[in-house]
Amino acid sequence: MPNYLNDPTLNQPLFPGSHIVLDDHYAFISGLTVMDIPGGETVLGNIHEETRWVMRRLVKLLEYAGCNIADTVRVDIHLTNLDNAQQVDAVYAEFFNHSRYPARTCTESPRLYDGSHVEITLMARRPHKPKDNEGDANGEQGDR
């Protein structure tokens, strides 16, 4: 059964949705812009800082959901101008192991929430938590 969460440090969504939805295997994080983050208006218009603020908050949302950034398997990035993709990529790459980037889509969306230039959505695999009766004959737990 899915679990629907809203991060108490963010404003309630202005859309009919949740910040995070968890199922047995994945954490789904709604699209996030710098204007969704308290204080984000201070970096609006600086593509590097918008990306950095959003990525940092996504890390916190994943932690709130019991995951970490390394668990990310898919990312969708929406930019108001695809010409900024390399600048966004420079910041984005800082958050992942360079041999394990998630699957990704990057699109141009001419208008994002409240004048933001970057919106990022992600999906992460939830860490496997073995049940008491799981494991092999030697009592060792299986891989996640």
Side-chain angles (χ1 to χ4, degrees):
M1 183 61 113
N3 188 13
Y4 302 86
L5 305 173
N6 284 313
D7 181 334
T9 66
L10 293 175
N11 294 328
Q12 289 294 312
L14 296 175
F15 57 90
S18 301
H19 294 135
I20 304 166
V21 176
L22 304 174
D23 71 11
D24 291 340
H25 303 286
Y26 293 94
F28 302 90
I29 311 293
S30 286
L32 189 68
T33 71
V34 74
M35 293 304 289
D36 296 315
I37 304 167
E41 68 280 354
T42 62
V43 298
L44 188 63
N46 179 327
I47 198 75
H48 286 100
E49 288 305 307
E50 281 193 43
T51 305
R52 188 166 282 112
W53 272 56
V54 169
M55 290 300 297
R56 284 180 182 155
R57 182 50 66 122
L58 288 169
V59 167
K60 289 181 181 187
L61 284 168
L62 285 168
E63 290 170 355
Y64 183 71
C67 301
N68 67 59
I69 196 73
D71 298 319
T72 303
V73 295
R74 176 156 177 80
V75 176
D76 292 310
I77 299 177
H78 304 281
L79 303 174
T80 57
N81 185 344
L82 273 177
D83 291 340
N84 292 325
Q86 287 183 325
Q87 295 172 337
V88 169
D89 287 346
V91 175
Y92 172 88
E94 296 171 9
F95 288 83
F96 296 101
N97 179 314
H98 296 277
S99 64
R100 294 185 46 167
Y101 289 116
R104 190 180 100 172
T105 299
C106 186
T107 63
E108 184 171 284
S109 300
R111 201 165 157 216
L112 297 176
Y113 174 68
D114 231 4
S116 297
H117 297 88
V118 179
E119 181 173 0
I120 303 174
T121 303
L122 60 77
M123 181 173 74
R125 178 93 171 145
R126 295 181 70 194
H128 175 71
K129 296 198 171 139
K131 296 175 184 164
D132 290 339
N133 60 351
E134 284 188 24
D136 66 17
N138 298 323
E140 294 178 16
Q141 301 302 320
D143 294 335
R144 61 173 166 140

